[in-house]
Amino acid sequence: MKVMFSAGEASGDTHAASVAGALKKLYPEVTMLGMGGSLMAAAGVEIVYDIKQLGYIGIVEIVKALPSFFKLRTYLKEIMIREKPDVLVCVDYPGFNMKLAKVAHDLGIPVVYYIAPTIWAWHRSRGKDIAKTVTKVASIFPFEAEAYREFGVDVEFVGNPLVDIVKPTMSYEESTAYFNMPADTKRILLMPGSRKQEVMGLLDRMLAGAELVMQKHSNLAFYLPRAHTIDKEELDAIIVKYKVPVTITEDHTYDLMQSCDLCLAASGTATLETALMGLPTILLYRLSPVTFMLGKLLVNLTHVGLPNIVAGREVIPELLQGEVTPVNIAAQLNSLLDDSARRNTMIEDLHHVKEALGGAGAVERVAQLVASVAGESHKVSEDMNGKL
């Protein structure tokens, strides 16, 4: 069995590497190659194009780089013609991978798409293209699988890989000791995002809201896990402006989530992680007015937060745009600190969200699906050769 991967950025390298590792474990004889990074290489994938060469580029740079993308697609087509993989596994990176999937389809190579384009949020027209070129979509959200079925796509809900990843490594007692947490405090986790612009737009408001809450609740402690993309000095420069006890942490984030009582989080994967940890969370979402208005025109969603999208209703409160004020943040925090029934209901709802994301073993299910598609391809190829 020969499997070719295409991943174009760091997160894709991570997900593809997990699938490659599972394939190697389940099928030791597998041969793997493709576009990716160091994690895929460590998992046994022969890297035919290192994604470090793609760089980090914005819209203007992408336009300038289009000729390079065309050349890369041609190069990977030549690889497919020469290597004749039994299956191409596309991981995220839809702008490039959807076109590569068509190349593979035209060559008679089946395609599995993992971390598929978010047609449930926008670009619904992509559903028709995927139905034509992709053999199987490995879906990580149940609502996503339903959206793809509407377009006649052969899709399988495999579960969410975060279910396997998001779990503490210590006991509650060990984690509170590790972070030197006093027993008599209520602990609030601050997750303002991993992008500098995001952090600059949210952290000030979080801390100003925290100051208001401390007027009523003095026994509070705040913890901020630093994203590796943000310098500690940048965080310190904001924190020093407020009379709020904030501890910046560098590791064991899931253990930290386990030890906290509440969370303020920027919209994104972090809210799904806190949901999986059963941590009551207040979602904050703030973009430039123009970007937000464009998003409202393009995005087909009634909720912003992934836990709410999974649940199909508001499980965690969402403060959007102009609602992201210190007063509103303080009101939500005070409510959850004072109202144990509301907090317990939210925890129960978050458990239901976790159940909806499927059980453990998502990556293994993806590996088995890839092997199944590759096996069918190999069988068809042998049958055709036998008839010649």
Side-chain angles (χ1 to χ4, degrees):
M1 177 171 57
K2 183 179 289 188
V3 178
M4 183 169 173
F5 289 90
S6 177
E9 50 200 352
S11 61
D13 183 41
T14 300
H15 289 300
S18 297
V19 175
L23 276 169
K24 198 70 176 175
K25 185 176 180 180
L26 292 169
Y27 308 96
E29 79 287 354
V30 68
T31 300
M32 299 179 290
L33 70 154
M35 178 171 79
S38 59
L39 295 179
M40 288 169 61
V45 179
E46 178 192 348
I47 302 300
V48 298
Y49 186 88
D50 195 319
I51 58 174
K52 283 192 299 186
Q53 299 175 64
L54 293 176
Y56 298 93
I57 50 182
I59 294 174
V60 174
E61 288 80 7
I62 286 175
V63 173
K64 292 180 180 177
L66 281 176
S68 298
F69 283 117
F70 292 140
K71 288 180 182 178
L72 176 57
R73 194 165 73 226
T74 300
Y75 168 69
L76 293 176
K77 177 180 179 179
E78 291 169 353
I79 296 286
M80 284 188 270
I81 292 170
R82 184 179 74 234
E83 296 293 334
K84 296 180 175 60
D86 296 308
V87 61
L88 171 68
V89 181
C90 293
V91 184
D92 205 354
Y93 211 52
F96 181 85
N97 273 336
M98 283 190 61
K99 293 179 175 62
L100 190 67
K102 184 180 186 308
V103 170
H105 176 267
D106 291 346
L107 291 173
I109 298 168
V111 178
V112 172
Y113 213 128
Y114 180 47
I115 319 295
T118 54
I119 64 165
W120 45 271
W122 55 11
H123 289 311
R124 285 183 63 81
S125 60
R126 284 176 168 174
K128 296 178 181 178
D129 295 330
I130 288 171
K132 294 175 184 176
T133 59
V134 174
T135 311
K136 196 92 172 182
V137 168
S139 171
I140 63 173
F141 293 111
F143 59 84
E144 176 182 70
E146 288 302 318
Y148 272 108
R149 288 190 187 103
E150 290 179 19
F151 289 95
V153 176
D154 189 352
V155 57
E156 182 174 326
F157 172 55
V158 293
N160 197 291
L162 285 179
V163 173
D164 290 310
I165 297 168
V166 180
K167 53 188 66 175
T169 61
M170 311 176 194
S171 69
Y172 176 84
E173 292 74 20
E174 288 171 335
S175 59
T176 54
Y178 180 83
F179 293 109
N180 297 312
M181 293 175 163
D184 61 344
T185 59
K186 290 289 185 181
R187 303 137 192 170
I188 298 175
L189 185 65
L190 304 176
M191 302 193 75
S194 57
R195 299 181 182 91
K196 184 175 179 178
Q197 184 178 1
E198 197 174 31
V199 173
M200 296 302 144
L202 289 179
L203 186 54
D204 271 295
R205 291 162 189 258
M206 286 181 174
L207 294 173
E211 274 193 345
L212 294 175
V213 176
M214 290 192 71
Q215 294 174 10
K216 184 177 182 181
H217 299 272
S218 58
N219 63 329
L220 299 180
F222 296 81
Y223 297 87
L224 198 167
R226 184 181 69 85
H228 71 276
T229 49
I230 307 297
D231 291 335
K232 184 175 182 297
E233 292 74 21
E234 292 175 321
L235 297 176
D236 286 334
I238 298 173
I239 291 169
V240 73
K241 297 186 292 183
Y242 300 91
K243 295 177 181 178
V244 178
V246 179
T247 300
I248 296 174
T249 65
E250 302 286 345
D251 55 11
H252 291 284
T253 299
Y254 300 139
D255 295 294
L256 182 62
M257 288 181 183
Q258 173 186 231
S259 307
C260 287
D261 299 287
L262 298 173
C263 178
L264 290 173
S267 177
T269 305
T271 60
L272 200 58
E273 292 173 322
T274 59
L276 289 169
M277 290 298 298
L279 177 61
T281 299
I282 300 160
L283 178 149
L284 310 178
Y285 185 79
R286 189 167 176 266
L287 299 171
S288 73
V290 173
T291 303
F292 184 72
M293 289 305 297
L294 284 172
K296 285 187 72 174
L297 292 172
L298 296 172
V299 176
N300 310 303
L301 295 174
T302 55
H303 297 99
V304 169
L306 285 170
N308 294 339
I309 297 171
V310 171
R313 60 187 178 88
E314 185 167 290
V315 170
I316 61 172
E318 298 182 349
L319 296 179
L320 312 179
Q321 291 299 98
E323 298 171 345
V324 184
T325 66
V327 170
N328 287 342
I329 290 170
Q332 287 289 345
L333 284 174
N334 278 324
S335 172
L336 286 166
L337 287 167
D338 296 334
D339 189 344
S340 59
R342 182 189 178 203
R343 186 172 176 277
N344 290 335
T345 297
M346 192 183 297
I347 292 171
E348 185 178 343
D349 287 341
L350 293 176
H351 287 321
H352 291 315
V353 168
K354 181 176 182 178
E355 290 173 358
L357 290 173
V363 170
E364 285 74 17
R365 286 190 284 276
V366 176
Q368 290 167 345
L369 186 151
V370 168
S372 174
V373 172
E376 286 296 317
S377 169
H378 193 71
K379 183 175 181 297
V380 169
S381 178
E382 286 185 336
D383 288 348
M384 289 181 66
N385 290 334
K387 292 176 182 178
L388 294 175

